[in-house]
CSV table of all heavy atoms in Angstrom, one decimal:
chain,number,residue,atom,x,y,z
S,222,LEU,N,22.3,-15.1,2.5
S,222,LEU,CA,21.0,-14.8,1.9
S,222,LEU,C,20.8,-13.2,1.8
S,222,LEU,O,20.1,-12.7,1.0
S,222,LEU,CB,19.8,-15.3,2.8
S,222,LEU,CG,19.7,-16.8,2.8
S,222,LEU,CD1,18.7,-17.2,3.9
S,222,LEU,CD2,19.3,-17.4,1.5
S,223,GLY,N,21.5,-12.5,2.7
S,223,GLY,CA,21.4,-11.1,2.7
S,223,GLY,C,22.1,-10.5,3.9
S,223,GLY,O,22.4,-11.2,4.8
S,224,ARG,N,22.3,-9.2,3.8
S,224,ARG,CA,23.1,-8.6,4.9
S,224,ARG,C,22.3,-7.3,5.3
S,224,ARG,O,21.8,-6.6,4.5
S,224,ARG,CB,24.4,-8.1,4.3
S,224,ARG,CG,25.3,-7.5,5.3
S,224,ARG,CD,26.6,-7.1,4.7
S,224,ARG,NE,27.4,-8.3,4.4
S,224,ARG,CZ,28.7,-8.3,4.0
S,224,ARG,NH1,29.3,-7.1,3.9
S,224,ARG,NH2,29.3,-9.4,3.7
S,225,GLY,N,22.2,-7.2,6.6
S,225,GLY,CA,21.5,-6.0,7.2
S,225,GLY,C,22.5,-5.3,8.1
S,225,GLY,O,23.7,-5.5,8.1
S,226,ALA,N,21.9,-4.3,8.8
S,226,ALA,CA,22.8,-3.5,9.7
S,226,ALA,C,23.4,-4.2,10.8
S,226,ALA,O,24.5,-3.9,11.2
S,226,ALA,CB,22.0,-2.3,10.2
S,227,THR,N,22.6,-5.2,11.3
S,227,THR,CA,23.1,-5.9,12.5
S,227,THR,C,23.9,-7.2,12.2
S,227,THR,O,24.4,-7.8,13.1
S,227,THR,CB,21.9,-6.2,13.4
S,227,THR,OG1,20.9,-6.8,12.7
S,227,THR,CG2,21.4,-4.9,14.1
S,230,VAL,N,22.5,-12.7,7.1
S,230,VAL,CA,21.7,-13.9,7.3
S,230,VAL,C,22.2,-14.9,6.3
S,230,VAL,O,22.4,-14.6,5.1
S,230,VAL,CB,20.2,-13.5,7.0
S,230,VAL,CG1,19.3,-14.8,7.1
S,230,VAL,CG2,19.7,-12.5,8.0
S,254,ALA,N,17.8,-20.7,8.7
S,254,ALA,CA,18.4,-19.4,8.4
S,254,ALA,C,19.1,-19.0,9.7
S,254,ALA,O,18.6,-19.2,10.8
S,254,ALA,CB,17.4,-18.4,8.0
S,256,LYS,N,21.1,-15.8,11.4
S,256,LYS,CA,21.6,-14.4,11.4
S,256,LYS,C,22.8,-14.3,12.3
S,256,LYS,O,22.7,-14.5,13.5
S,256,LYS,CB,20.5,-13.5,11.9
S,256,LYS,CG,20.9,-12.0,11.8
S,256,LYS,CD,19.7,-11.1,11.9
S,256,LYS,CE,20.1,-9.7,11.5
S,256,LYS,NZ,19.0,-8.9,11.2
S,305,ASP,N,13.8,-20.3,11.5
S,305,ASP,CA,13.2,-21.0,10.4
S,305,ASP,C,13.6,-20.3,9.1
S,305,ASP,O,13.6,-19.1,9.0
S,305,ASP,CB,11.6,-21.0,10.5
S,305,ASP,CG,11.1,-21.9,11.6
S,305,ASP,OD1,11.9,-22.7,12.1
S,305,ASP,OD2,9.9,-21.8,12.0
S,306,LEU,N,13.8,-21.1,8.1
S,306,LEU,CA,14.2,-20.5,6.8
S,306,LEU,C,12.9,-20.2,6.1
S,306,LEU,O,12.0,-21.1,6.0
S,306,LEU,CB,15.0,-21.5,6.0
S,306,LEU,CG,15.4,-21.0,4.6
S,306,LEU,CD1,16.6,-20.1,4.7
S,306,LEU,CD2,15.7,-22.2,3.7
S,307,ILE,N,12.7,-19.0,5.6
S,307,ILE,CA,11.5,-18.6,4.9
S,307,ILE,C,11.8,-18.5,3.5
S,307,ILE,O,12.7,-17.8,3.0
S,307,ILE,CB,11.0,-17.2,5.5
S,307,ILE,CG1,10.8,-17.2,7.0
S,307,ILE,CG2,9.8,-16.8,4.7
S,307,ILE,CD1,9.8,-18.3,7.5
S,311,ASP,N,11.4,-10.6,0.9
S,311,ASP,CA,10.8,-9.7,1.9
S,311,ASP,C,9.9,-8.7,1.2
S,311,ASP,O,9.9,-8.5,0.0
S,311,ASP,CB,11.9,-9.1,2.7
S,311,ASP,CG,12.8,-8.2,1.9
S,311,ASP,OD1,12.3,-7.2,1.4
S,311,ASP,OD2,14.0,-8.5,1.8
S,352,LYS,N,9.1,-2.6,9.5
S,352,LYS,CA,9.2,-2.0,8.1
S,352,LYS,C,9.1,-3.2,7.1
S,352,LYS,O,9.3,-4.3,7.5
S,352,LYS,CB,10.6,-1.3,8.0
S,352,LYS,CG,11.8,-2.3,8.3
S,352,LYS,CD,13.1,-1.6,8.2
S,352,LYS,CE,14.2,-2.6,8.5
S,352,LYS,NZ,15.5,-2.0,8.3
S,355,ASN,N,11.4,-6.1,7.1
S,355,ASN,CA,11.4,-7.1,8.2
S,355,ASN,C,10.1,-8.0,8.1
S,355,ASN,O,9.7,-8.6,9.1
S,355,ASN,CB,11.4,-6.4,9.5
S,355,ASN,CG,12.9,-6.1,9.9
S,355,ASN,OD1,13.8,-6.7,9.4
S,355,ASN,ND2,13.1,-5.1,10.7
S,357,LEU,N,8.8,-11.0,5.9
S,357,LEU,CA,9.1,-12.0,4.8
S,357,LEU,C,7.8,-12.6,4.3
S,357,LEU,O,6.9,-12.8,5.1
S,357,LEU,CB,10.0,-13.1,5.4
S,357,LEU,CG,11.3,-12.6,6.0
S,357,LEU,CD1,12.1,-13.8,6.6
S,357,LEU,CD2,12.2,-11.9,5.0
S,371,ASP,N,13.0,-10.4,12.9
S,371,ASP,CA,13.9,-9.4,13.6
S,371,ASP,C,13.3,-8.9,14.9
S,371,ASP,O,13.7,-7.8,15.3
S,371,ASP,CB,14.2,-8.2,12.7
S,371,ASP,CG,15.6,-8.5,12.0
S,371,ASP,OD1,16.2,-9.5,12.2
S,371,ASP,OD2,16.0,-7.6,11.2
S,541,ALA,N,18.5,-0.2,5.0
S,541,ALA,CA,18.2,-1.1,6.2
S,541,ALA,C,18.4,-0.3,7.5
S,541,ALA,O,18.8,0.9,7.5
S,541,ALA,CB,19.2,-2.2,6.2
S,542,THR,N,18.0,-1.0,8.5
S,542,THR,CA,18.2,-0.4,9.8
S,542,THR,C,19.6,0.2,10.0
S,542,THR,O,20.6,-0.4,9.6
S,542,THR,CB,18.1,-1.5,10.9
S,542,THR,OG1,16.9,-2.1,10.7
S,542,THR,CG2,18.1,-0.9,12.3
W,942,LIG,N1,14.5,-16.4,8.3
W,942,LIG,C1,14.9,-16.0,7.1
W,942,LIG,N2,14.7,-16.8,6.0
W,942,LIG,C2,15.1,-16.5,4.8
W,942,LIG,N3,15.6,-15.3,4.5
W,942,LIG,C3,15.8,-14.4,5.5
W,942,LIG,C4,15.4,-14.7,6.8
W,942,LIG,N4,15.7,-13.7,7.6
W,942,LIG,C5,16.2,-12.7,6.8
W,942,LIG,N5,16.3,-13.2,5.5
W,942,LIG,C6,16.8,-12.4,4.4
W,942,LIG,O1,18.1,-12.0,4.7
W,942,LIG,C7,18.3,-10.6,4.3
W,942,LIG,C8,18.9,-9.8,5.4
W,942,LIG,O2,18.1,-9.9,6.5
W,942,LIG,P1,18.3,-8.8,7.7
W,942,LIG,O3,17.3,-9.0,8.7
W,942,LIG,O4,19.7,-8.9,8.1
W,942,LIG,O5,18.2,-7.5,6.8
W,942,LIG,P2,17.4,-6.2,7.1
W,942,LIG,O6,16.1,-6.5,7.8
W,942,LIG,O7,17.4,-5.4,5.8
W,942,LIG,O8,18.4,-5.5,8.0
W,942,LIG,P3,18.2,-5.0,9.5
W,942,LIG,O9,17.0,-5.6,10.1
W,942,LIG,O10,19.5,-5.4,10.2
W,942,LIG,O11,18.0,-3.6,9.2
W,942,LIG,C9,16.9,-10.1,3.9
W,942,LIG,O12,16.9,-9.9,2.5
W,942,LIG,C10,16.0,-11.2,4.2
W,942,LIG,O13,15.1,-11.4,3.0
Side-chain angles (χ1 to χ4, degrees):
L222 294 171
R224 182 178 292 189
T227 49
V230 177
K256 182 162 194 164
D305 284 348
L306 180 80
I307 304 301
D311 63 63
K352 58 180 181 177
N355 280 336
L357 302 177
D371 262 359
T542 307

